[in-house]
Amino acid sequence: MQEPARNGGPLVRRATPMTSIQQAEAPVDVVICEVHPSPSGVPANGAKPGADEGGKTMVLPSPADADATQVIRTPAPGVSGSGPSSSGAGQEGGATTGSAASAEASEADRQAEAADSEGSDQTPDAAEHADAGAGSSHADTQSDAAGPVNAEPDQADAEDPDPQGAPAQSAGPAPGTAKANADTDATQVIRLRPDSDATQIITVNAPHAKDPGETQIIKDADATQVISTAEPDATQVIKFDADATTVLAQLNPGDATTVIPKTGKGTDGSATTLIPVVAGRKDGLRTRIAPPRDPGRAPRPARPRREPMDLGHAPAVLTISALGVLMVALGYAGGRIGTGNAQFAYWVGQVVVFTPVVVRLLSRRMAGVAESFVLVMGLALHQYLLKWMYSPDQFRFPDELQHWLGTTIIVQSGELFQPNPALPPAVHFPGLAEMGAALTSMTGLPVTASGVIVAGIAHLIFVAMIFAAVLRASNSPAVAGVACATYATALHYLFFNSMFLYQTAALPFFMLTVWAVRRWRAEGNWRFVALAVAGMGVTTVSHHVTAFAMVLTLTLLAVVELVVQKPRRWSALIMPGAALLMVASWVATVARDVVNYLEAPADQVVHTIENLISGTSEASSTTAAVSIGQLIVQGAGLLALFVLYLALLRDMVQRRDRDAWRWAAVAGGTIFFAGNAVRFLGQNGPEIAARLSTFTYVPISILAAIALVRGVQIIPAKDGEGHRWRASPPAIDVIAPGGWNLYSRTAAGSLMITVLMIGARAGGWPPIGSILPGPYLAGGFERSVDASGIAAADWQRDTLGHDNRVGGDVTSVSLASTYGRQDPVREVGSLYYADEWGLEQQQLVDGLAIQYLVVDKRLSEQLPEGEAYFENDPHAGSITSPLTSTQIGKFDALTGVDRLYDNGTVRVYRMGNL
């Protein structure tokens, strides 16, 4: 909307104070600047100031001589000026001056320049001569400058028919009138020579001021004008060249307006364009100027300026998400008592926890980094609560129980590197156990409570470091937030990556190392080198696989940087070399047994892939088969990720992107899709893909976030020649689409990430059949741990002592090795499947030195939830019926086998007297 300026001035658009640089589109020969000490402004509707109206604007056109200087002098109120005047003041365009006037103007110019070179204001004599020569040469420039701004002059006149201080219609003072009392402080001289690098000085003084005003210096041969004023109510009128094109800059307290003419051949001098001056941002980033609004609409209230710690709508969004946590808790409670609607409450709760945060992150209306970070951390906290609520009283997953035992041993012994029969390699990677033992020692909390706290804090720091690393690489809070939300849809994110496992303790230091290396490569600060080395050290002593992944990640980053960036900086190899040296030294000197520990699963993975390629069936997995519904949901999510991956890759190739970190993410995304291809190829596929996704899902999440937030075109628009796929894409940092296009992209992106989350929950951990807590399930991992099994394990510890060789099913061995402190024997499946005891079974017992067997009668009542009863089960994946009572009961008929313990469900047999 436009509104009249004060005291009958021109209609101008309100804007923020002028702080930007205006650049002329045409060469500048002469600039004439008039300062208005009074707040009256420039007369509207083409009015001309009279002799009795001091402080009004008088503008003269430029003469043909580009080096001539035009001087405007405003007489004091009530005093007439001397010198000739022109009767053509009301003519259109500029009037030319006579030779005498030009000579006097030139003389005034020389005197003004001499005065400026001495750092003083213009002399009265120079102003006198200038006014005499230029008084008759001004035309209707005010009308040209102010008229186009005043879009509705009749309406303005009707609103203010007789404004205060309205200027008279006289063009100037009458000839022969004395100007002895003229105000010399209102005269400004500006001279530009396009062929020289001259320095222009503008002096702005208040009327009758004792001290001179600020002096503004302009030095630019490209016709760039920078004008500021010490008087906030001053008006600057600048005249460019001889075509009567005018720039009007009016500065008032709190608002500023710039009027820039439309220049060029055939352009009418009266045509002007109104451009508001927008204050720049403190961080130096671009300021997006909103398009002009319809004058007929009421102005929208200005949005308050965001504070650095403005959380925006994060509290409200997280409150809605917390309602989802409550719904999942109700689903868990219903699962424990067998309520039919428990599954419905669980899935609805998962969507409510997750989707509102994603929608807000994609909406592009966030307050800034603070809101995005709070949303991401709130989502991570809520999802960790979902994991903790599954089993709030104790650890039940076998791996958690193993690390619970390692922490307990450190607490009881006070020493590191003590034997842990449940998980021997963990002894040489004591990072997690040391953290939990330290918290227990300092607070007196049980090891279980300390483990929950340590795992939760490590998980939150890991997410925070992902956010920080992506924010540093993308400079976008939205991209960082969406990347973290997308990573939350990884298969093992909800449980494995937040369990009390040594990988959970290593992951935050892994990401800290990556972030520090990024900072060092970008800024060259060697303090980040020290931080990266510290992160490498903690990662190395915390988890072997994460340490190996760290070396590979840093190597990938270094290689891509050397390939993409020119000139090559070979210092990029310092960090991967240091990481490799550190990890290799630790494995060679301390954790020597980790090679044998990882060799078996590595061989199994290779063997499984070979069987998948050859079509040979294999039954050696304890992973539940994936249903068709799970495959459809997971496949849809992966397909959407792949489409975004290809679209962004096309943009980067056509744009010749030289960002090494984005190309490293592309390479990591390729590894991700290669690893996930195994998911659909066999029984072991989901487990292999899930293990890899802990690391490979980070780069694909970053790429998906860039594509969603930046609005990468899935199907590119046609270029000017009608080519679609050869059209040049926009820059990677272009402003994302708005309006309905933004709404549709937000909805599509939120739907895609929600589908990914549902697929991860259905195909991740725990398996879909035991996704809710409840009563005992054979081969159900967490669902197989109950009071009967724990009681039998406690009896073994208290009665049999420690480190006896005990065999049994997956759950019985896990409980015996942790709660019972026994030495587990896991390859005992053939002893249970045999209908009769024979020489083969006896040789296996002797070969494995088995002392005790644990038999759970429920194995003869239920099919295994995980497709297997035992680790390395010879019938895994092909079990169609439970074990028979004959197979379970044959141990009672064996001579020399003693039943030492029976609680009605679980029995313990001694095998030593065979």
Side-chain angles (χ1 to χ4, degrees):
M1 291 292 292
Q2 293 181 340
E3 54 180 316
R6 302 182 186 91
N7 302 323
L11 293 179
V12 297
R13 187 183 299 274
R14 298 292 183 184
T16 55
M18 183 169 65
T19 60
S20 61
I21 296 177
Q22 304 295 338
Q23 182 169 356
E25 297 179 0
V28 178
D29 293 332
V30 178
V31 176
I32 302 176
C33 179
E34 166 63 355
V35 178
H36 299 272
S38 66
S40 58
V42 180
N45 305 326
K48 308 297 186 296
D52 57 344
E53 294 294 332
K56 299 298 185 283
T57 304
M58 301 175 64
V59 182
L60 297 182
S62 172
D65 185 5
D67 285 341
T69 302
Q70 304 301 317
V71 181
I72 305 175
R73 178 169 182 164
T74 304
V79 180
S80 300
S82 63
S85 65
S86 174
S87 60
Q91 297 176 0
E92 294 295 326
T96 61
T97 61
S99 59
S102 298
E104 293 184 56
S106 300
E107 178 64 19
D109 176 30
R110 287 190 293 271
Q111 295 186 30
E113 286 184 339
D116 289 339
S117 65
E118 297 175 0
S120 61
D121 296 333
Q122 295 184 48
T123 62
D125 293 338
E128 192 76 27
H129 287 291
D131 188 44
S136 61
S137 62
H138 85 279
D140 199 10
T141 309
Q142 280 189 344
S143 177
D144 292 340
V149 181
N150 187 358
E152 299 174 352
D154 297 335
Q155 180 181 354
D157 293 341
E159 293 177 356
D160 196 359
D162 188 16
Q164 294 291 334
Q169 298 301 317
S170 175
T177 307
K179 298 179 66 176
N181 297 329
D183 185 1
T184 62
D185 287 338
T187 302
Q188 308 300 323
V189 178
I190 306 175
R191 181 177 179 182
L192 292 179
R193 296 185 180 90
D195 58 346
S196 64
D197 197 13
T199 299
Q200 310 301 324
I201 301 178
I202 304 176
T203 303
V204 180
N205 293 328
H208 310 294
K210 296 180 180 180
D211 298 328
E214 291 187 0
T215 298
Q216 311 301 327
I217 299 177
I218 307 174
K219 184 177 181 181
D220 198 337
D222 293 333
T224 300
Q225 309 303 319
V226 182
I227 300 179
S228 60
T229 178
E231 181 67 24
D233 243 357
T235 300
Q236 309 300 326
V237 180
I238 306 174
K239 179 83 172 184
F240 290 81
D241 60 45
D243 295 332
T245 55
T246 303
V247 173
L248 172 65
Q250 180 173 0
L251 302 180
N252 291 320
D255 64 353
T257 303
T258 301
V259 182
I260 298 181
K262 299 178 181 177
T263 59
K265 294 182 178 181
T267 303
D268 186 1
S270 63
T272 58
T273 304
L274 182 65
I275 301 179
V277 181
V278 181
R281 292 172 54 172
K282 295 181 179 180
D283 53 8
L285 300 179
R286 299 175 301 168
T287 301
R288 186 178 182 183
I289 302 176
R293 297 181 59 84
D294 184 1
R297 296 176 58 186
R300 179 185 299 176
R303 180 179 296 180
R305 187 177 181 86
R306 299 291 191 181
E307 297 296 332
M309 296 304 296
D310 190 353
L311 300 182
H313 295 291
V317 174
L318 292 179
T319 299
I320 299 174
S321 179
L323 296 178
V325 176
L326 178 60
M327 296 185 68
V328 174
L330 293 176
Y332 285 162
R336 293 186 179 95
I337 62 177
T339 303
N341 295 328
Q343 287 272 358
F344 177 79
Y346 171 83
W347 287 112
V348 172
Q350 287 281 6
V351 173
V352 173
V353 167
F354 190 77
T355 305
V357 176
V358 176
V359 172
R360 180 60 182 171
L361 290 171
L362 287 172
S363 66
R364 287 186 54 82
R365 298 182 181 274
M366 291 187 299
V369 177
E371 182 181 4
S372 180
F373 181 75
V374 170
L375 287 172
V376 167
M377 298 307 294
L379 177 63
L381 177 61
H382 288 171
Q383 292 186 311
Y384 183 73
L385 290 176
L386 300 184
K387 178 266 171 189
W388 171 72
M389 290 188 303
Y390 189 91
S391 178
D393 57 336
Q394 66 184 81
F395 294 131
R396 285 182 166 84
F397 187 68
D399 290 18
E400 286 188 300
L401 290 173
Q402 293 167 358
H403 292 287
W404 169 86
L405 175 61
T407 305
T408 302
I409 292 174
I410 294 178
V411 171
Q412 293 177 350
S413 65
E415 298 179 359
L416 296 175
F417 307 114
Q418 297 301 305
N420 180 358
L423 188 61
V427 173
H428 302 120
F429 296 93
L432 175 73
E434 174 61 23
M435 296 176 192
L439 182 59
T440 295
S441 301
M442 290 186 297
T443 62
L445 291 172
V447 173
T448 300
S450 297
V452 171
I453 295 173
V454 168
I457 293 176
H459 179 67
L460 294 179
I461 295 176
F462 173 53
V463 176
M465 292 312 305
I466 294 178
F467 183 91
V470 179
L471 180 64
R472 174 61 54 176
S474 66
N475 196 30
S476 170
V479 171
V482 175
C484 291
T486 306
Y487 184 79
T489 64
L491 285 177
H492 282 178
Y493 175 86
L494 185 61
F495 275 78
F496 274 109
N497 293 355
S498 58
M499 287 180 173
F500 187 59
L501 311 177
Y502 49 1
Q503 176 177 274
T504 302
L507 286 175
F509 296 97
F510 165 79
M511 283 307 305
L512 173 65
T513 302
V514 174
W515 174 82
V517 170
R518 164 74 186 186
R519 295 293 301 271
W520 174 59
R521 300 305 297 163
E523 303 174 17
N525 193 329
W526 287 91
R527 289 182 297 178
F528 293 111
V529 174
L531 188 61
V533 171
M536 293 177 193
V538 179
T539 304
T540 301
V541 302
S542 296
H543 188 226
H544 39 75
V545 174
T546 305
F548 300 152
M550 176 185 66
V551 174
L552 295 177
T553 300
L554 296 180
T555 302
L556 175 64
L557 293 173
V559 170
V560 173
E561 179 180 341
L562 292 175
V563 171
V564 172
Q565 295 185 355
K566 299 293 186 297
R568 293 186 176 93
R569 297 189 298 168
W570 296 100
S571 58
L573 297 175
I574 294 177
M575 286 304 171
L580 178 60
L581 178 62
M582 190 176 299
V583 174
S585 299
W586 184 261
V587 172
T589 59
V590 178
R592 290 186 295 269
D593 57 344
V594 73
V595 176
N596 294 330
Y597 173 74
L598 295 177
E599 184 179 1
D603 291 342
Q604 183 179 356
V605 169
V606 173
H607 184 57
T608 301
I609 295 176
E610 291 176 350
N611 289 338
L612 292 174
I613 295 175
S614 63
T616 304
S617 61
E618 180 185 15
S620 59
S621 173
T622 59
T623 302
V626 181
S627 66
I628 298 298
Q630 291 175 246
L631 290 179
I632 292 176
V633 175
Q634 295 172 15
L638 286 176
L639 180 61
L641 281 179
F642 188 66
V643 170
L644 292 179
Y645 174 80
L646 292 180
L648 185 60
L649 179 60
R650 169 191 170 273
D651 279 11
M652 293 175 62
V653 170
Q654 290 195 346
R655 197 175 52 254
R656 293 180 174 87
D657 196 319
R658 309 299 296 178
D659 187 274
W661 287 74
R662 277 197 288 268
W663 282 112
V666 170
T670 303
I671 299 173
F672 166 78
F673 286 113
N676 272 271
V678 182
R679 178 186 306 189
F680 305 102
L681 298 179
Q683 190 174 355
N684 282 339
E687 180 65 19
I688 298 171
R691 294 286 185 178
L692 288 175
S693 67
T694 298
F695 307 100
T696 61
Y697 210 67
V698 174
I700 196 63
S701 299
I702 297 173
L703 296 177
I706 294 175
L708 291 173
V709 174
R710 301 302 189 190
V712 173
Q713 297 178 348
I714 305 300
I715 301 178
K718 294 182 179 180
D719 59 9
E721 299 178 356
H723 300 149
R724 182 180 301 277
W725 298 103
R726 288 186 292 173
S728 298
I732 197 68
D733 58 348
V734 295
I735 300 175
W740 287 107
N741 195 13
L742 173 61
Y743 297 148
S744 62
R745 286 180 177 271
T746 301
S750 301
L751 178 61
M752 184 202 78
I753 299 177
T754 302
V755 169
L756 285 170
M757 182 273 297
I758 294 175
R761 301 299 171 265
W765 197 265
I768 188 67
S770 56
I771 200 168
L772 297 178
Y776 175 88
L777 287 178
F781 295 95
E782 293 97 332
R783 288 282 299 269
S784 299
V785 177
D786 65 348
S788 299
I790 295 175
D794 290 339
W795 177 87
Q796 296 172 47
R797 182 190 66 243
D798 298 336
T799 305
L800 303 179
H802 298 178
D803 300 326
N804 297 291
R805 299 277 291 172
V806 177
D809 62 276
V810 173
T811 303
S812 298
V813 169
S814 174
L815 294 176
S817 62
T818 53
Y819 285 102
R821 302 287 187 93
Q822 307 301 321
D823 185 7
V825 182
R826 296 179 171 89
E827 300 83 4
V828 295
S830 59
L831 299 179
Y832 290 80
Y833 284 116
D835 293 326
E836 297 180 356
W837 193 267
L839 180 61
E840 180 183 355
Q841 287 73 35
Q842 182 62 49
Q843 291 176 346
L844 180 61
V845 170
D846 295 339
L848 296 176
I850 299 175
Q851 296 175 271
Y852 301 92
L853 282 179
V854 180
V855 179
D856 194 320
K857 294 194 307 181
R858 291 170 292 191
L859 300 182
S860 63
E861 300 171 358
Q862 299 179 5
L863 287 172
E865 180 63 30
E867 300 297 318
Y869 290 116
F870 308 94
E871 293 189 28
N872 300 320
D873 195 321
H875 298 285
S878 60
I879 301 175
T880 58
S881 61
L883 294 174
T884 64
S885 57
T886 301
Q887 293 171 334
I888 291 294
K890 65 177 178 290
F891 299 101
D892 290 324
L894 294 178
T895 304
V897 175
D898 300 325
R899 185 197 300 178
L900 302 181
Y901 176 83
D902 187 353
N903 61 16
T905 302
V906 180
R907 301 172 181 175
V908 178
Y909 293 91
R910 183 172 57 191
M911 311 296 293
N913 294 330
L914 284 172

